[in-house]
């Protein structure tokens, strides 16, 4: 079992920055990935970014490339999502997710992720 606890959401203005954190605890496998998904009101959940924990390779949705950066702290089992140049369309609940047996071909496939955090709200005003 893996527990994920997110923090760092809030209300910001367009163009501002925000950093989300997700601390993982419990039974963490060496082949796992930690990532972020988001869901805006009335929309389906969508992939944002993920990081392969063992290799450090990162993957991003096209909509956030160049603006968001995912990183990790191995010692703390924590993943971060640095969000810069935020736009109103980034407004959503952001969820941290863990894929216990990561396969790069499924990096953006939600059902591949077997553990989820409770979510943190990010609101970007125009």
């Amino acid at each position: 079992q893996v527990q994920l606890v997110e923090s760092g959401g809030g209300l910001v203005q367009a163009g501002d920055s925000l950093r989300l954190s997700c601390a993982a605890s419990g039974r963490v496998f060496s082949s796992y990935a930690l990532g972020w998904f988001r869901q805006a009101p009335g929309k389906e959940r969508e992939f944002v970014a993920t990081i392969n924990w063992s290799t450090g390779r990162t993957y991003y949705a096209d909509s956030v490339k160049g603006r968001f950066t995912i990183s990790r702290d191995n010692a703390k089992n924590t993943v971060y999502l640095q969000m810069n140049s935020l736009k109103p369309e980034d407004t959503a609940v952001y969820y941290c997710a863990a894929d216990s047996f990561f396969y790069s071909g499924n990096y953006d496939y939600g059902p591949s992720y077997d553990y989820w955090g409770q979510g943190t709200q990010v609101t970007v005003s125009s």
Side-chain angles (χ1 to χ4, degrees), residues 65-114:
K65 277 182 183 176
R67 300 189 298 123
F68 291 11
T69 302
I70 190 169
S71 61
R72 63 183 181 183
D73 183 328
N74 292 47
K76 296 181 179 179
N77 263 357
T78 298
V79 66
Y80 304 97
L81 185 68
Q82 178 66 42
M83 305 184 293
N84 298 329
S85 302
L86 282 162
K87 303 175 182 179
E89 50 264 44
D90 294 318
T91 295
V93 177
Y94 283 70
Y95 296 92
C96 180
D99 184 343
S100 298
F101 298 98
F102 182 69
Y103 167 57
S104 61
N106 289 337
Y107 72 89
D108 59 352
Y109 185 56
S112 293
Y113 292 75
D114 37 5

Side-chain angles (χ1 to χ4, degrees), residues 1-64:
Q1 195 76 5
V2 175
Q3 294 79 43
L4 303 173
V5 179
E6 303 116 328
S7 61
L11 171 64
V12 297
Q13 293 187 331
D16 284 351
S17 298
L18 206 57
R19 190 177 81 156
L20 305 182
S21 301
C22 173
S25 60
R27 192 177 181 188
V28 176
F29 298 93
S30 61
S31 59
Y32 80 116
L34 272 184
W36 294 92
F37 287 75
R38 66 186 182 186
Q39 187 167 21
K43 294 187 177 181
E44 292 188 353
R45 181 182 63 194
E46 64 174 359
F47 168 77
V48 177
T50 199
I51 185 166
N52 181 323
W53 206 257
S54 60
T55 67
R57 182 173 178 180
T58 58
Y59 305 80
Y60 295 94
D62 288 343
S63 59
V64 305

